[in-house]
Amino acid sequence: MGRRSSGIIGVIVLIWLVIGVVAAVQRDYFKSSDANCATAGTIALTIVTGPLNYAGVNPKVDDCNVRIPEPSE
């Protein structure tokens, strides 16, 4: 891949992510006062899925159970 094609790919990725941000704004995800893992995960997934949001994809994170490793005894 040359320099020109990598620049085109970068522009496509940027447009993809901007479309995802627009979808998140339209769904009012940034107006929510809930600052938790599920809200952040839903926003991130919406941005990453980009234009797929307009094709029916509606990603949601319902629960964030993070397991912290405990030291062995």
Side-chain angles (χ1 to χ4, degrees):
M1 281 191 343
R3 184 175 223 175
R4 184 176 180 149
S5 62
S6 64
I8 292 171
I9 292 171
V11 169
I12 290 170
V13 169
L14 181 63
I15 292 170
W16 182 280
L17 294 175
V18 167
I19 292 171
V21 170
V22 169
V25 169
Q26 288 177 339
R27 293 176 180 174
D28 292 329
Y29 288 159
F30 295 108
K31 290 184 179 179
S32 174
S33 61
D34 294 336
N36 57 37
C37 177
T39 302
T42 299
I43 291 171
L45 281 175
T46 301
I47 292 171
V48 169
T49 56
L52 296 177
N53 288 290
Y54 299 104
V57 175
N58 189 13
K60 294 229 181 217
V61 176
D62 294 327
D63 193 13
C64 293
N65 289 330
V66 179
R67 295 184 186 194
I68 299 173
E70 297 179 14
S72 59
E73 295 180 17

